[in-house]
């Protein structure tokens, strides 16, 4: 079991940066693969980035490659999403998620979810 709380969202101008944080309690973050998802109004929740337990393998959606970076600090029980060169189309609620199975991370089937944090990018 793990509880996840996202923070760091807000309003930013196009081209700006934000860093989202996901603080975990209960089980340690090191026990799980971690992912970031986002959902815009009227759209499906889509995977943005994911990372294995050790951080040795990552995944990024094509729309964010080269702009976003997922990282984890297992000692602090926290995962991050650094978002640079933000675009209006990045506007969404961003969710942190945890998954026990470390072998498959490119999936919507994660086991635990945070409450989400709003990211709004103005043009």
């Amino acid at each position: 079991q793990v509880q996840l709380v996202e923070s760091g969202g807000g309003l930013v101008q196009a081209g700006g940066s934000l860093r989202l944080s996901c603080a975990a309690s209960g089980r340690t973050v090191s026990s799980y693969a971690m992912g970031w998802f986002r959902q815009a109004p009227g759209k499906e929740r889509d995977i943005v980035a994911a990372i294995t337990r050790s951080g040795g393998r990552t995944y990024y959606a094509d729309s964010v490659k080269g702009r976003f970076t997922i990282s984890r600090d297992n000692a602090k029980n926290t995962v991050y999403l650094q978002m640079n060169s933000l675009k209006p189309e990045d506007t969404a609620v961003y969710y942190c998620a945890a998954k026990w199975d470390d072998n498959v991370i490119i999936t919507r089937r994660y086991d635990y979810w945070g409450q989400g944090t709003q990211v709004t990018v103005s043009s």
Side-chain angles (χ1 to χ4, degrees):
Q1 298 282 349
V2 63
Q3 295 78 47
L4 307 172
V5 179
E6 305 96 332
S7 63
L11 176 65
V12 65
Q13 297 274 6
S17 298
L18 287 172
R19 188 176 79 157
L20 305 183
S21 298
C22 176
S25 61
R27 294 276 192 171
T28 59
V29 166
S30 63
S31 297
Y32 300 91
M34 302 296 297
W36 285 97
F37 293 73
R38 68 186 182 187
Q39 186 170 28
K43 296 186 177 181
E44 298 288 336
R45 186 176 299 184
D46 292 324
I47 192 167
V48 175
I51 188 167
T52 53
R53 292 173 183 171
S54 67
R57 179 162 56 91
T58 58
Y59 165 81
Y60 297 95
D62 289 342
S63 59
V64 306
K65 283 182 179 177
R67 300 188 297 119
F68 290 12
T69 303
I70 188 171
S71 62
R72 63 191 305 156
D73 188 338
N74 288 342
K76 295 182 178 180
N77 221 27
T78 304
V79 298
Y80 305 95
L81 185 69
Q82 179 67 46
M83 305 185 295
N84 298 325
S85 302
L86 283 162
K87 304 175 180 179
E89 51 262 46
D90 295 319
T91 296
V93 177
Y94 283 71
Y95 297 89
C96 177
K99 186 174 187 289
W100 178 254
D101 182 6
D102 193 53
N103 294 315
V104 179
I105 60 173
I106 309 172
T107 178
R108 292 182 177 89
R109 298 170 60 189
Y110 277 65
D111 299 308
Y112 304 99
W113 297 83
Q115 85 287 351
T117 185
Q118 177 71 47
V119 172
T120 302
V121 184
S122 62
S123 60

